[in-house]
PDB file of all heavy atoms in Angstrom:
ATOM      1  N   GLU A 342      96.053 -34.115   8.322  1.00 79.00           N
ATOM      2  CA  GLU A 342      96.931 -33.271   9.161  1.00 79.00           C
ATOM      3  C   GLU A 342      96.997 -31.811   8.740  1.00 79.00           C
ATOM      4  O   GLU A 342      97.221 -30.907   9.568  1.00 79.00           O
ATOM      5  CB  GLU A 342      98.386 -33.873   9.155  1.00 79.00           C
ATOM      6  CG  GLU A 342      98.441 -35.239   9.790  1.00 79.00           C
ATOM      7  CD  GLU A 342      99.924 -35.727   9.844  1.00 79.00           C
ATOM      8  OE1 GLU A 342     100.760 -34.992   9.224  1.00 79.00           O
ATOM      9  OE2 GLU A 342     100.179 -36.795  10.270  1.00 79.00           O
ATOM     10  N   SER A 343      96.732 -31.576   7.479  1.00 80.00           N
ATOM     11  CA  SER A 343      96.745 -30.178   6.983  1.00 80.00           C
ATOM     12  C   SER A 343      95.602 -29.338   7.604  1.00 80.00           C
ATOM     13  O   SER A 343      95.686 -28.133   7.646  1.00 80.00           O
ATOM     14  CB  SER A 343      96.618 -30.116   5.406  1.00 80.00           C
ATOM     15  OG  SER A 343      97.533 -30.903   4.786  1.00 80.00           O
ATOM     16  N   TYR A 344      94.590 -30.055   8.207  1.00 84.00           N
ATOM     17  CA  TYR A 344      93.456 -29.343   8.773  1.00 84.00           C
ATOM     18  C   TYR A 344      93.415 -29.462  10.328  1.00 84.00           C
ATOM     19  O   TYR A 344      92.410 -29.182  10.950  1.00 84.00           O
ATOM     20  CB  TYR A 344      92.219 -29.963   8.201  1.00 84.00           C
ATOM     21  CG  TYR A 344      92.056 -29.874   6.693  1.00 84.00           C
ATOM     22  CD1 TYR A 344      92.665 -30.746   5.899  1.00 84.00           C
ATOM     23  CD2 TYR A 344      91.318 -28.816   6.154  1.00 84.00           C
ATOM     24  CE1 TYR A 344      92.535 -30.677   4.496  1.00 84.00           C
ATOM     25  CE2 TYR A 344      91.182 -28.709   4.773  1.00 84.00           C
ATOM     26  CZ  TYR A 344      91.765 -29.661   3.936  1.00 84.00           C
ATOM     27  OH  TYR A 344      91.740 -29.564   2.562  1.00 84.00           O
ATOM     28  N   ALA A 345      94.608 -29.678  10.909  1.00 86.00           N
ATOM     29  CA  ALA A 345      94.756 -29.856  12.349  1.00 86.00           C
ATOM     30  C   ALA A 345      94.150 -28.571  13.185  1.00 86.00           C
ATOM     31  O   ALA A 345      93.564 -28.740  14.191  1.00 86.00           O
ATOM     32  CB  ALA A 345      96.166 -30.172  12.779  1.00 86.00           C
ATOM     33  N   PRO A 346      94.365 -27.422  12.651  1.00 88.00           N
ATOM     34  CA  PRO A 346      93.897 -26.224  13.402  1.00 88.00           C
ATOM     35  C   PRO A 346      92.288 -26.260  13.628  1.00 88.00           C
ATOM     36  O   PRO A 346      91.784 -25.573  14.391  1.00 88.00           O
ATOM     37  CB  PRO A 346      94.289 -24.973  12.610  1.00 88.00           C
ATOM     38  CG  PRO A 346      95.516 -25.485  11.771  1.00 88.00           C
ATOM     39  CD  PRO A 346      95.271 -26.921  11.475  1.00 88.00           C
ATOM     40  N   ALA A 347      91.619 -26.977  12.749  1.00 88.00           N
ATOM     41  CA  ALA A 347      90.150 -27.022  12.838  1.00 88.00           C
ATOM     42  C   ALA A 347      89.734 -27.518  14.194  1.00 88.00           C
ATOM     43  O   ALA A 347      88.718 -27.106  14.732  1.00 88.00           O
ATOM     44  CB  ALA A 347      89.585 -27.948  11.801  1.00 88.00           C
ATOM     45  N   ALA A 348      90.494 -28.325  14.926  1.00 89.00           N
ATOM     46  CA  ALA A 348      90.124 -28.845  16.270  1.00 89.00           C
ATOM     47  C   ALA A 348      90.024 -27.772  17.239  1.00 89.00           C
ATOM     48  O   ALA A 348      89.186 -27.769  18.093  1.00 89.00           O
ATOM     49  CB  ALA A 348      91.178 -29.899  16.694  1.00 89.00           C
ATOM     50  N   TYR A 349      90.794 -26.696  17.095  1.00 91.00           N
ATOM     51  CA  TYR A 349      90.806 -25.535  18.041  1.00 91.00           C
ATOM     52  C   TYR A 349      89.505 -24.775  17.933  1.00 91.00           C
ATOM     53  O   TYR A 349      89.112 -24.243  18.900  1.00 91.00           O
ATOM     54  CB  TYR A 349      91.954 -24.656  17.683  1.00 91.00           C
ATOM     55  CG  TYR A 349      91.978 -23.445  18.548  1.00 91.00           C
ATOM     56  CD1 TYR A 349      92.435 -23.452  19.856  1.00 91.00           C
ATOM     57  CD2 TYR A 349      91.667 -22.194  17.997  1.00 91.00           C
ATOM     58  CE1 TYR A 349      92.508 -22.293  20.642  1.00 91.00           C
ATOM     59  CE2 TYR A 349      91.646 -20.962  18.818  1.00 91.00           C
ATOM     60  CZ  TYR A 349      92.086 -21.055  20.132  1.00 91.00           C
ATOM     61  OH  TYR A 349      92.090 -19.949  20.904  1.00 91.00           O
ATOM     62  N   TYR A 350      88.819 -24.749  16.778  1.00 90.00           N
ATOM     63  CA  TYR A 350      87.612 -23.980  16.560  1.00 90.00           C
ATOM     64  C   TYR A 350      86.324 -24.798  16.756  1.00 90.00           C
ATOM     65  O   TYR A 350      85.236 -24.183  16.568  1.00 90.00           O
ATOM     66  CB  TYR A 350      87.631 -23.374  15.147  1.00 90.00           C
ATOM     67  CG  TYR A 350      88.975 -22.563  14.895  1.00 90.00           C
ATOM     68  CD1 TYR A 350      89.886 -23.004  14.099  1.00 90.00           C
ATOM     69  CD2 TYR A 350      89.002 -21.344  15.459  1.00 90.00           C
ATOM     70  CE1 TYR A 350      91.016 -22.242  13.853  1.00 90.00           C
ATOM     71  CE2 TYR A 350      90.188 -20.533  15.275  1.00 90.00           C
ATOM     72  CZ  TYR A 350      91.203 -21.003  14.434  1.00 90.00           C
ATOM     73  OH  TYR A 350      92.294 -20.208  14.220  1.00 90.00           O
ATOM     74  N   MET A 351      86.484 -26.116  17.044  1.00 91.00           N
ATOM     75  CA  MET A 351      85.260 -26.933  17.090  1.00 91.00           C
ATOM     76  C   MET A 351      84.360 -26.714  18.258  1.00 91.00           C
ATOM     77  O   MET A 351      83.126 -26.854  18.156  1.00 91.00           O
ATOM     78  CB  MET A 351      85.679 -28.409  16.992  1.00 91.00           C
ATOM     79  CG  MET A 351      85.885 -28.872  15.604  1.00 91.00           C
ATOM     80  SD  MET A 351      86.209 -30.705  15.488  1.00 91.00           S
ATOM     81  CE  MET A 351      84.678 -31.348  16.166  1.00 91.00           C
ATOM     82  N   PRO A 352      84.848 -26.402  19.505  1.00 92.00           N
ATOM     83  CA  PRO A 352      83.936 -26.306  20.668  1.00 92.00           C
ATOM     84  C   PRO A 352      82.714 -25.426  20.526  1.00 92.00           C
ATOM     85  O   PRO A 352      81.630 -25.781  20.746  1.00 92.00           O
ATOM     86  CB  PRO A 352      84.865 -25.867  21.750  1.00 92.00           C
ATOM     87  CG  PRO A 352      86.217 -26.370  21.390  1.00 92.00           C
ATOM     88  CD  PRO A 352      86.262 -26.286  19.968  1.00 92.00           C
ATOM     89  N   ILE A 353      82.985 -24.241  19.998  1.00 92.00           N
ATOM     90  CA  ILE A 353      81.851 -23.237  19.737  1.00 92.00           C
ATOM     91  C   ILE A 353      80.876 -23.807  18.624  1.00 92.00           C
ATOM     92  O   ILE A 353      79.660 -23.706  18.751  1.00 92.00           O
ATOM     93  CB  ILE A 353      82.432 -21.892  19.363  1.00 92.00           C
ATOM     94  CG1 ILE A 353      83.236 -21.271  20.536  1.00 92.00           C
ATOM     95  CG2 ILE A 353      81.280 -20.913  19.103  1.00 92.00           C
ATOM     96  CD1 ILE A 353      83.884 -20.018  20.255  1.00 92.00           C
ATOM     97  N   GLN A 354      81.538 -24.420  17.586  1.00 92.00           N
ATOM     98  CA  GLN A 354      80.757 -25.022  16.496  1.00 92.00           C
ATOM     99  C   GLN A 354      79.836 -26.146  17.108  1.00 92.00           C
ATOM    100  O   GLN A 354      78.654 -26.213  16.637  1.00 92.00           O
ATOM    101  CB  GLN A 354      81.654 -25.540  15.473  1.00 92.00           C
ATOM    102  CG  GLN A 354      80.904 -25.959  14.181  1.00 92.00           C
ATOM    103  CD  GLN A 354      80.633 -24.930  13.242  1.00 92.00           C
ATOM    104  OE1 GLN A 354      81.009 -23.724  13.492  1.00 92.00           O
ATOM    105  NE2 GLN A 354      79.974 -25.177  12.131  1.00 92.00           N
ATOM    106  N   LEU A 355      80.283 -26.853  18.035  1.00 92.00           N
ATOM    107  CA  LEU A 355      79.539 -27.987  18.608  1.00 92.00           C
ATOM    108  C   LEU A 355      78.285 -27.478  19.321  1.00 92.00           C
ATOM    109  O   LEU A 355      77.269 -28.061  19.397  1.00 92.00           O
ATOM    110  CB  LEU A 355      80.404 -28.835  19.510  1.00 92.00           C
ATOM    111  CG  LEU A 355      81.442 -29.801  18.852  1.00 92.00           C
ATOM    112  CD1 LEU A 355      82.351 -30.469  19.844  1.00 92.00           C
ATOM    113  CD2 LEU A 355      80.643 -30.849  17.980  1.00 92.00           C
ATOM    114  N   LEU A 356      78.406 -26.333  19.995  1.00 92.00           N
ATOM    115  CA  LEU A 356      77.391 -25.723  20.734  1.00 92.00           C
ATOM    116  C   LEU A 356      76.304 -25.324  19.669  1.00 92.00           C
ATOM    117  O   LEU A 356      75.073 -25.594  19.940  1.00 92.00           O
ATOM    118  CB  LEU A 356      77.839 -24.466  21.406  1.00 92.00           C
ATOM    119  CG  LEU A 356      76.821 -23.681  22.186  1.00 92.00           C
ATOM    120  CD1 LEU A 356      76.349 -24.602  23.399  1.00 92.00           C
ATOM    121  CD2 LEU A 356      77.407 -22.482  22.821  1.00 92.00           C
ATOM    122  N   GLY A 357      76.695 -24.853  18.546  1.00 92.00           N
ATOM    123  CA  GLY A 357      75.737 -24.555  17.504  1.00 92.00           C
ATOM    124  C   GLY A 357      75.057 -25.820  17.001  1.00 92.00           C
ATOM    125  O   GLY A 357      73.906 -25.832  16.647  1.00 92.00           O
ATOM    126  N   ASP A 358      75.846 -26.877  16.826  1.00 90.00           N
ATOM    127  CA  ASP A 358      75.260 -28.194  16.362  1.00 90.00           C
ATOM    128  C   ASP A 358      74.166 -28.744  17.338  1.00 90.00           C
ATOM    129  O   ASP A 358      73.166 -29.282  16.910  1.00 90.00           O
ATOM    130  CB  ASP A 358      76.400 -29.228  16.235  1.00 90.00           C
ATOM    131  CG  ASP A 358      77.282 -28.992  15.068  1.00 90.00           C
ATOM    132  OD1 ASP A 358      76.849 -28.384  14.087  1.00 90.00           O
ATOM    133  OD2 ASP A 358      78.477 -29.384  15.180  1.00 90.00           O
ATOM    134  N   PHE A 359      74.474 -28.557  18.715  1.00 91.00           N
ATOM    135  CA  PHE A 359      73.434 -28.996  19.680  1.00 91.00           C
ATOM    136  C   PHE A 359      72.123 -28.281  19.419  1.00 91.00           C
ATOM    137  O   PHE A 359      71.085 -28.984  19.332  1.00 91.00           O
ATOM    138  CB  PHE A 359      73.982 -28.757  21.056  1.00 91.00           C
ATOM    139  CG  PHE A 359      73.007 -29.038  22.152  1.00 91.00           C
ATOM    140  CD1 PHE A 359      72.630 -30.412  22.453  1.00 91.00           C
ATOM    141  CD2 PHE A 359      72.313 -28.034  22.726  1.00 91.00           C
ATOM    142  CE1 PHE A 359      71.769 -30.632  23.416  1.00 91.00           C
ATOM    143  CE2 PHE A 359      71.362 -28.310  23.733  1.00 91.00           C
ATOM    144  CZ  PHE A 359      71.090 -29.660  24.077  1.00 91.00           C
ATOM    145  N   PHE A 360      72.162 -26.977  19.312  1.00 92.00           N
ATOM    146  CA  PHE A 360      70.883 -26.224  19.127  1.00 92.00           C
ATOM    147  C   PHE A 360      70.327 -26.409  17.687  1.00 92.00           C
ATOM    148  O   PHE A 360      69.136 -26.426  17.561  1.00 92.00           O
ATOM    149  CB  PHE A 360      71.091 -24.771  19.385  1.00 92.00           C
ATOM    150  CG  PHE A 360      71.387 -24.406  20.776  1.00 92.00           C
ATOM    151  CD1 PHE A 360      72.580 -23.955  21.256  1.00 92.00           C
ATOM    152  CD2 PHE A 360      70.328 -24.554  21.815  1.00 92.00           C
ATOM    153  CE1 PHE A 360      72.786 -23.582  22.629  1.00 92.00           C
ATOM    154  CE2 PHE A 360      70.528 -24.246  23.087  1.00 92.00           C
ATOM    155  CZ  PHE A 360      71.794 -23.783  23.554  1.00 92.00           C
ATOM    156  N   ARG A 361      71.109 -26.725  16.765  1.00 90.00           N
ATOM    157  CA  ARG A 361      70.729 -27.017  15.456  1.00 90.00           C
ATOM    158  C   ARG A 361      69.802 -28.229  15.334  1.00 90.00           C
ATOM    159  O   ARG A 361      68.724 -28.209  14.679  1.00 90.00           O
ATOM    160  CB  ARG A 361      71.877 -27.141  14.430  1.00 90.00           C
ATOM    161  CG  ARG A 361      71.500 -27.318  13.006  1.00 90.00           C
ATOM    162  CD  ARG A 361      72.746 -27.429  12.158  1.00 90.00           C
ATOM    163  NE  ARG A 361      72.526 -27.413  10.776  1.00 90.00           N
ATOM    164  CZ  ARG A 361      73.408 -27.702   9.842  1.00 90.00           C
ATOM    165  NH1 ARG A 361      74.659 -28.002  10.186  1.00 90.00           N
ATOM    166  NH2 ARG A 361      73.117 -27.614   8.516  1.00 90.00           N
ATOM    167  N   SER A 362      70.195 -29.257  15.996  1.00 86.00           N
ATOM    168  CA  SER A 362      69.430 -30.498  15.941  1.00 86.00           C
ATOM    169  C   SER A 362      68.139 -30.307  16.660  1.00 86.00           C
ATOM    170  O   SER A 362      67.035 -30.875  16.217  1.00 86.00           O
ATOM    171  CB  SER A 362      70.213 -31.635  16.600  1.00 86.00           C
ATOM    172  OG  SER A 362      70.400 -31.403  18.007  1.00 86.00           O
ATOM    173  N   GLY A 363      68.014 -29.569  17.749  1.00 86.00           N
ATOM    174  CA  GLY A 363      66.832 -29.321  18.415  1.00 86.00           C
ATOM    175  C   GLY A 363      65.926 -28.462  17.545  1.00 86.00           C
ATOM    176  O   GLY A 363      64.666 -28.711  17.467  1.00 86.00           O
ATOM    177  N   GLY A 364      66.438 -27.437  16.931  1.00 89.00           N
ATOM    178  CA  GLY A 364      65.777 -26.592  15.971  1.00 89.00           C
ATOM    179  C   GLY A 364      65.135 -27.355  14.852  1.00 89.00           C
ATOM    180  O   GLY A 364      63.987 -27.102  14.405  1.00 89.00           O
ATOM    181  N   TRP A 365      65.878 -28.334  14.325  1.00 84.00           N
ATOM    182  CA  TRP A 365      65.375 -29.190  13.224  1.00 84.00           C
ATOM    183  C   TRP A 365      64.183 -29.957  13.560  1.00 84.00           C
ATOM    184  O   TRP A 365      63.287 -30.163  12.857  1.00 84.00           O
ATOM    185  CB  TRP A 365      66.465 -30.095  12.726  1.00 84.00           C
ATOM    186  CG  TRP A 365      67.306 -29.452  11.737  1.00 84.00           C
ATOM    187  CD1 TRP A 365      67.222 -28.199  11.206  1.00 84.00           C
ATOM    188  CD2 TRP A 365      68.429 -30.069  10.986  1.00 84.00           C
ATOM    189  NE1 TRP A 365      68.153 -27.913  10.229  1.00 84.00           N
ATOM    190  CE2 TRP A 365      68.954 -29.134  10.092  1.00 84.00           C
ATOM    191  CE3 TRP A 365      68.938 -31.361  11.065  1.00 84.00           C
ATOM    192  CZ2 TRP A 365      69.936 -29.394   9.212  1.00 84.00           C
ATOM    193  CZ3 TRP A 365      70.068 -31.599  10.192  1.00 84.00           C
ATOM    194  CH2 TRP A 365      70.563 -30.611   9.260  1.00 84.00           C
ATOM    195  N   CYS A 366      64.112 -30.488  14.856  1.00 84.00           N
ATOM    196  CA  CYS A 366      62.896 -31.141  15.263  1.00 84.00           C
ATOM    197  C   CYS A 366      61.651 -30.295  15.168  1.00 84.00           C
ATOM    198  O   CYS A 366      60.697 -30.733  14.649  1.00 84.00           O
ATOM    199  CB  CYS A 366      63.055 -31.602  16.788  1.00 84.00           C
ATOM    200  SG  CYS A 366      64.260 -32.865  17.025  1.00 84.00           S
ATOM    201  N   PHE A 367      61.738 -29.024  15.670  1.00 87.00           N
ATOM    202  CA  PHE A 367      60.647 -28.163  15.587  1.00 87.00           C
ATOM    203  C   PHE A 367      60.345 -27.649  14.084  1.00 87.00           C
ATOM    204  O   PHE A 367      59.268 -27.530  13.738  1.00 87.00           O
ATOM    205  CB  PHE A 367      60.853 -26.878  16.433  1.00 87.00           C
ATOM    206  CG  PHE A 367      60.875 -27.189  17.878  1.00 87.00           C
ATOM    207  CD1 PHE A 367      61.979 -26.940  18.675  1.00 87.00           C
ATOM    208  CD2 PHE A 367      59.783 -27.791  18.469  1.00 87.00           C
ATOM    209  CE1 PHE A 367      62.020 -27.311  20.014  1.00 87.00           C
ATOM    210  CE2 PHE A 367      59.778 -28.062  19.878  1.00 87.00           C
ATOM    211  CZ  PHE A 367      60.918 -27.822  20.631  1.00 87.00           C
ATOM    212  N   GLY A 368      61.424 -27.546  13.327  1.00 85.00           N
ATOM    213  CA  GLY A 368      61.342 -27.178  11.977  1.00 85.00           C
ATOM    214  C   GLY A 368      60.560 -28.196  11.101  1.00 85.00           C
ATOM    215  O   GLY A 368      59.772 -27.931  10.271  1.00 85.00           O
ATOM    216  N   MET A 369      60.765 -29.497  11.452  1.00 81.00           N
ATOM    217  CA  MET A 369      60.077 -30.607  10.809  1.00 81.00           C
ATOM    218  C   MET A 369      58.523 -30.535  11.005  1.00 81.00           C
ATOM    219  O   MET A 369      57.752 -30.873  10.197  1.00 81.00           O
ATOM    220  CB  MET A 369      60.660 -32.002  11.302  1.00 81.00           C
ATOM    221  CG  MET A 369      61.938 -32.371  10.678  1.00 81.00           C
ATOM    222  SD  MET A 369      61.820 -32.871   8.986  1.00 81.00           S
ATOM    223  CE  MET A 369      63.509 -33.285   8.643  1.00 81.00           C
ATOM    224  N   VAL A 370      58.231 -30.048  12.239  1.00 84.00           N
ATOM    225  CA  VAL A 370      56.803 -29.872  12.532  1.00 84.00           C
ATOM    226  C   VAL A 370      56.204 -28.829  11.582  1.00 84.00           C
ATOM    227  O   VAL A 370      55.104 -29.096  11.049  1.00 84.00           O
ATOM    228  CB  VAL A 370      56.628 -29.482  14.034  1.00 84.00           C
ATOM    229  CG1 VAL A 370      55.141 -29.225  14.379  1.00 84.00           C
ATOM    230  CG2 VAL A 370      57.177 -30.495  14.946  1.00 84.00           C
ATOM    231  N   LEU A 371      56.837 -27.701  11.436  1.00 84.00           N
ATOM    232  CA  LEU A 371      56.359 -26.653  10.519  1.00 84.00           C
ATOM    233  C   LEU A 371      56.205 -27.161   9.168  1.00 84.00           C
ATOM    234  O   LEU A 371      55.215 -26.886   8.400  1.00 84.00           O
ATOM    235  CB  LEU A 371      57.245 -25.459  10.562  1.00 84.00           C
ATOM    236  CG  LEU A 371      57.388 -24.733  11.935  1.00 84.00           C
ATOM    237  CD1 LEU A 371      58.173 -23.398  11.718  1.00 84.00           C
ATOM    238  CD2 LEU A 371      56.027 -24.434  12.527  1.00 84.00           C
ATOM    239  N   ILE A 372      57.168 -27.973   8.643  1.00 78.00           N
ATOM    240  CA  ILE A 372      57.084 -28.575   7.318  1.00 78.00           C
ATOM    241  C   ILE A 372      55.930 -29.534   7.183  1.00 78.00           C
ATOM    242  O   ILE A 372      55.153 -29.410   6.217  1.00 78.00           O
ATOM    243  CB  ILE A 372      58.425 -29.284   6.952  1.00 78.00           C
ATOM    244  CG1 ILE A 372      59.536 -28.307   6.885  1.00 78.00           C
ATOM    245  CG2 ILE A 372      58.288 -30.028   5.693  1.00 78.00           C
ATOM    246  CD1 ILE A 372      60.935 -28.844   6.690  1.00 78.00           C
ATOM    247  N   ALA A 373      55.786 -30.397   8.168  1.00 75.00           N
ATOM    248  CA  ALA A 373      54.750 -31.366   8.082  1.00 75.00           C
ATOM    249  C   ALA A 373      53.380 -30.743   8.142  1.00 75.00           C
ATOM    250  O   ALA A 373      52.375 -31.197   7.502  1.00 75.00           O
ATOM    251  CB  ALA A 373      54.887 -32.401   9.280  1.00 75.00           C
TER     252      ALA A 373
END
Side-chain angles (χ1 to χ4, degrees):
E342 293 182 0
S343 302
Y344 299 82
Y349 177 76
Y350 303 106
M351 277 185 62
I353 299 176
Q354 189 84 0
L355 287 173
L356 183 63
D358 289 331
F359 174 76
F360 289 113
R361 185 183 188 185
S362 65
W365 271 3
C366 290
F367 293 118
M369 285 286 182
V370 176
L371 298 187
I372 292 171

